[in-house]
Amino acid sequence: MQFTGTERYVAPPELAIAVNAAVTLERPLLVKGEPGTGKTELARQVAESLGLPIIEWHVKSTTKAQQGLYEYDAVSRLRDSQLGDERVHDVANYIRRGKLWQAFEAEQKTVLLIDEIDKADIEFPNDLLQELDRMEFHVYETGQTIRARHRPVVIITSNNEKELPDAFLRRCFFHYIRFPDADTLRAIVDVHYPGLKPRLLDEALSQFFELREAPGLKKKPSTSELLDWLKLILAEDLSPEDLKRDAGAILPRLHGALLKNEQDVALFEKLAFMARRQR
């Protein structure tokens, strides 16, 4: 089982090496990088490439580690007991299986995505240490021990919003997805928009990188935002000449696909004003 990328996902060699190393070591793969660099999509494409089903656990700020194992619905059991429901005599009827339980119980090997783990509180990763290490956990209400039939390929993503505990990091294989260079971006664009005219792509990439490299930018546009921008450019049937800007027009056409906050728009408006004063 070797991952090399797919027709729809351009995986740089170092990323493919990281995926395959994590699979070989049977360690979770912790993937960090800027938002929009394809971390979540990586897990889906790994599953497709290896011919495995995927189970996705999208973490929120309110998510608790226990929810990934199971939840005991005591409220429903109490209500059923008041109604005289026979189901109340079997506590298993009130156990909701979490994503880890689903992955452990699967008939075949799966890919388990734990997406944006850094959104949860700092104890979240520590609370999963033993379960991800031993691939088992105990259900106290029923006395069961749930063990993985097949060790899943675990891919964990983080936007680096907070530091993860050292004990958790020791158990992972780590890879940071760097922002693609121009050649890799061209390959990615070719996957999504094959046959895009070279001159149009050259002009778009030139403006895109100029935008990303502007000093003081709060949020740099990502790969996914470049693809959205190109989709709009194609929908509007713009030519390379349409994209070109004069000295006073700092903001690119359809810039709302690239700049996502008012501070960055104001920054470029200020640059435009300064450019006009110098003319």
Side-chain angles (χ1 to χ4, degrees):
M1 293 168 59
Q2 289 286 310
F3 174 71
T4 57
T6 67
E7 291 182 358
R8 295 184 292 123
Y9 191 91
V10 178
E14 62 273 15
L15 177 56
I17 289 170
V19 171
N20 293 321
V23 172
T24 300
L25 293 172
E26 296 187 326
R27 295 278 189 179
L29 173 63
L30 174 60
V31 183
K32 291 187 178 183
E34 292 180 30
T37 49
K39 301 184 295 298
T40 302
E41 188 61 25
L42 170 66
R44 296 167 183 156
Q45 297 304 317
V46 168
E48 180 179 317
S49 174
L50 302 182
L52 302 176
I54 185 170
I55 295 173
E56 300 187 15
W57 185 15
H58 299 285
V59 176
K60 301 177 181 178
S61 60
T62 56
T63 303
K64 303 299 181 185
Q66 179 65 30
Q67 293 172 301
L69 308 180
Y70 70 93
E71 292 182 277
Y72 169 50
D73 190 353
V75 174
S76 291
R77 193 181 188 195
L78 175 61
R79 183 192 62 227
D80 288 349
S81 70
Q82 293 169 339
L83 296 173
D85 195 319
E86 288 299 316
R87 295 175 69 250
V88 76
H89 299 297
D90 186 357
V91 69
N93 290 324
Y94 303 93
I95 300 294
R96 297 177 182 173
R97 299 176 183 183
K99 299 296 186 180
L100 265 73
W101 191 331
Q102 294 172 32
F104 287 5
E105 199 177 45
E107 295 290 338
Q108 67 177 108
K109 195 178 189 70
T110 64
V111 172
L112 173 62
L113 167 64
I114 304 176
D115 197 30
E116 297 189 328
I117 194 172
D118 53 328
K119 278 188 175 180
D121 65 54
I122 193 63
E123 292 305 320
F124 183 95
N126 281 334
D127 290 344
L128 290 177
L129 286 180
Q130 297 302 320
E131 289 77 10
L132 291 177
D133 205 24
R134 298 180 181 177
M135 286 287 146
E136 67 177 38
F137 63 89
H138 189 69
V139 183
Y140 295 97
E141 289 78 5
T142 64
Q144 293 172 278
T145 296
I146 306 300
R147 295 184 177 88
R149 295 183 182 181
H150 308 279
R151 194 178 189 100
V153 177
V154 181
I155 297 179
I156 302 169
T157 73
S158 169
N159 287 328
N160 228 7
E161 291 181 7
K162 64 169 66 84
E163 290 295 322
L164 298 173
D166 288 345
F168 180 79
L169 295 175
R170 283 199 301 272
R171 287 166 168 81
C172 298
F173 190 93
F174 172 75
H175 182 75
Y176 183 85
I177 298 182
R178 290 182 171 81
F179 191 81
D181 58 22
D183 290 338
T184 305
L185 268 184
R186 288 176 187 277
I188 292 171
V189 169
D190 190 56
V191 167
H192 293 270
Y193 305 112
L196 189 66
K197 293 178 181 178
R199 285 184 57 241
L200 181 61
L201 180 57
D202 287 345
E203 182 62 33
L205 286 181
S206 173
Q207 292 193 27
F208 176 75
F209 277 110
E210 182 182 335
L211 212 62
R212 271 188 61 87
E213 292 162 9
L217 204 61
K218 184 176 181 180
K219 184 194 176 303
K220 295 182 178 182
S222 67
T223 307
S224 62
E225 287 157 343
L226 169 65
L227 295 174
D228 286 346
W229 187 47
L230 288 172
K231 184 176 182 178
L232 290 174
I233 288 171
L234 292 172
E236 295 289 331
D237 196 24
L238 300 179
S239 68
E241 288 70 27
D242 293 327
L243 291 184
K244 289 184 183 297
R245 300 166 291 169
D246 59 38
I250 294 295
L251 288 168
R253 295 282 292 270
L254 303 167
H255 63 270
L258 299 173
L259 300 176
K260 297 301 178 70
N261 62 68
E262 62 276 14
Q263 294 97 321
D264 289 341
V265 172
L267 170 67
F268 278 88
E269 288 174 343
K270 182 179 179 181
L271 292 174
F273 175 74
M274 292 172 62
R276 285 193 295 271
R277 288 189 62 183
Q278 294 172 2
R279 289 171 63 183

